[in-house]
Amino acid sequence: MRKNSRWIAIQCGRQHPSCERVIKGKFPLDMPGPLQYGLGVQAFIINLLACQMVALKRAQALVYSIIDVVIAEATMLQFILRLHAALENWEVRATEKLLLEAVMHVDETSLRVDKTNYWIHVHSAGGITLKKLHRKRGIKAMEGNDIIPRYTGKLIHDCWASYFSYSNCGHGLCGSHLLRELTFVVETNRYRWARRMKRLLQATYKRVSDCEKKCLDDREYARLLKCYRKILELGTLEMPAIPDKPAGKRGRIAKSDAHNLLERLQKYEASVLLFARDPLVPFTNNRGERDLRMSKVKQKVSGCFRSEIYAHAYCRITSYLQTMAYKGVNPMIAIQMALAGELGGE
């Protein structure tokens, strides 16, 4: 990192004690000049910024306390962009692998970039996590990311309407979201249908988890479907009528949360109960939410991003590191492998 003895020997040469000939070496390809930061230092800084969510100034101070060298913020950001470029081919290969998975978890969350609201879209399946940044949240973003439009497996999500725009794939709804909404309706309105639906979903999930096949047989599923529809019929009778729209008023009628939930359970019956029919489909979308959670922590701890390129770099780098973490690879090792071009067919 400084002008050490190795650099002096290469630059100034050594005099052979016998023939008095001066012998000079050549710099290795990874050391083009007298002051260099090795892959270990670069990986450590990238790990601080991307994984540990340390702000730039704090990372700079921490590195200085360790190696007694002040590394400029611009240099640290160059390390981020270098890894971002090194992972371009990895991202392409990860996308193709995602499209072959039978089940994929998707979710989205907001992210501030240069005082503007952007959205991170996560796609998780098997041991792969892939996050994409886009200015929009809905169909425009999904078309721009070009993953969901090409996917033909089962998509697990939280019933965001834009996902249902794609008929090329199946759809499964997150049971955790439904249970939370049912709990809210029970606590605020005391509707019996919501309490019964909550118990039915919980009991079905336990039954599916305990059975060896991880799904219900045809007879059990028919019984479940009968109970499910009966509860929804009870809900239709129990819920108050939706008021008519006043004359001369435009727009949609404002429905209660309970009305919206009941209609959603009726409309997406097959998606709600897909976990009971397909052993590969989980009950929740926790995988997608878990892969996104640290993005919100990043924003709270070290603030928003100054420019869009670094936000894109953050998404790609954390996607790679989360994927490698599922394989049990140390993040420092994973970063050095990528910087050294040793990913190969990974």
Side-chain angles (χ1 to χ4, degrees), residues 9-50:
I10 296 174
Q11 191 74 3
C12 302
R14 293 281 187 179
Q15 188 175 34
H16 196 279
S18 299
C19 64
E20 297 184 354
R21 178 183 170 189
V22 177
I23 301 173
K24 295 176 65 175
K26 294 182 179 180
F27 269 107
L29 295 178
D30 62 336
M31 292 183 62
L35 182 62
Q36 292 296 306
Y37 303 106
L39 296 183
V41 173
Q42 295 182 45
F44 178 69
I45 293 174
I46 293 171
N47 184 54
L48 285 178
L49 298 177

Side-chain angles (χ1 to χ4, degrees), residues 124 126-129 287 290-291 321-329:
S124 305
I128 302 174
T129 295
R287 166 70 188 279
R290 185 170 61 247
D291 287 343
L321 293 178
Q322 284 178 281
T323 300
M324 298 301 280
Y326 281 118
K327 299 178 181 180
V329 180

Side-chain angles (χ1 to χ4, degrees), residues 187-201:
E187 292 177 350
T188 55
N189 302 106
R190 307 291 180 183
Y191 288 132
R192 291 176 296 168
W193 73 266
R195 184 180 294 107
R196 293 182 181 181
M197 180 61 74
K198 179 180 177 181
R199 290 174 181 171
L200 178 65
L201 292 178

